[in-house]
Amino acid sequence: MASEEESTVKEPLDLIRLSLDERIYVKLRSDRELRGKLHAYDQHLNMILGDVEEIVTTIEIDDETYEEIVRTTKRTVPFLFVRGDGVILVSPPLRTA
Amino acid sequence: MSNGGEKGSSTKTPADFLKSIRGRPVVVKLNSGVDYRGILACLDGYMNIAMEQTEEYVNGQLKNKYGDAFIRGNNVLYISTTKRSLADGA
């Protein structure tokens, strides 16, 4: 493997910049996920997303059968500001190949 | 201050450790208990992390993230190197 030595060491935030104007996947706290187009971000990971789909996952436990019922709630939002402290993970969209 | 026979002469501080593990397979555990295994691309002083070939483990294997995954540093509990390399799925 050829080692690529760059004069300026890239930070993780520099690599997020490569995803600007691309669709991304964001994992948030409270079992929420977003998929949308990244318009802007900052060092706090505050983000502006466009054409966003939000997926909220809830797990119910039946009192009698102790069965776990996993539910997902989806909604679409055309334009969204995300506060950075709720962000866990950012990635290019998941590929289920 | 006497060093107790430490072998890592180049990793005296946590910052040195962070510089030395780039490009290595790592395990990143979050405060929430979720595990992420992948190859560390880069990280910064806030423990923000960029990884490649990342796999997410919650009790069992949940999701596979290919490409880059960025993890916000405040969620990170620890970063550990691992000798296990990820098997490339055909």
Side-chain angles (χ1 to χ4, degrees):
Chain A
M1 287 180 65
S3 59
E4 299 175 340
E5 290 199 348
E6 297 156 339
S7 56
T8 55
V9 178
K10 286 187 177 175
E11 296 183 337
L13 291 174
D14 289 333
L15 293 178
I16 292 187
R17 180 154 43 92
L18 299 177
S19 295
L20 276 175
D21 282 335
E22 305 280 343
R23 292 199 68 84
I24 57 168
Y25 164 84
V26 182
K27 193 170 164 61
L28 301 175
R29 295 183 179 226
S30 305
D31 296 317
R32 290 169 189 263
E33 300 162 290
L34 300 174
R35 279 193 180 82
K37 187 176 181 182
L38 180 65
H39 288 285
Y41 75 98
D42 65 9
Q43 71 273 21
H44 305 290
L45 257 56
N46 295 326
M47 289 184 285
I48 303 285
L49 297 176
D51 293 325
V52 186
E53 181 192 37
E54 177 196 42
I55 302 173
V56 185
T57 303
T58 53
I59 300 180
E60 291 181 13
I61 299 181
D62 193 302
D63 290 335
E64 297 173 4
T65 66
Y66 294 101
E67 186 185 353
E68 286 188 355
I69 307 169
V70 180
R71 293 209 179 119
T72 60
T73 310
K74 293 184 183 180
R75 66 164 176 164
T76 52
V77 179
F79 210 64
L80 185 70
F81 173 88
V82 182
R83 188 175 158 83
D85 62 2
V87 174
I88 296 177
L89 180 149
V90 179
S91 176
L94 296 173
R95 296 178 189 175
T96 55
Chain B
M1 287 182 282
S2 60
N3 291 330
E6 296 274 347
K7 290 183 181 178
S9 58
S10 63
T11 57
K12 289 179 182 173
T13 68
D16 289 329
F17 172 76
L18 295 181
K19 287 178 192 173
S20 68
I21 61 173
R22 282 171 193 250
R24 297 193 187 178
V26 293
V27 179
V28 178
K29 194 171 186 70
L30 302 191
N31 295 329
S32 60
V34 182
D35 247 347
Y36 289 91
R37 292 171 185 259
I39 301 168
L40 186 70
C42 58
L43 64 133
D44 62 16
Y46 294 103
M47 289 184 88
N48 293 325
I49 292 169
M51 293 172 64
E52 298 174 354
Q53 304 286 324
T54 309
E55 290 178 345
E56 178 182 277
Y57 292 86
V58 180
N59 303 323
Q61 190 166 342
L62 267 192
K63 292 176 185 174
N64 286 327
K65 303 189 194 302
Y66 300 102
D68 293 325
F70 309 94
I71 301 177
R72 197 173 191 270
N74 70 305
N75 298 298
V76 176
L77 183 65
Y78 67 71
I79 306 170
S80 170
T81 53
T82 173
K83 290 182 181 177
R84 177 198 289 182
S85 57
L86 295 173
D88 290 332

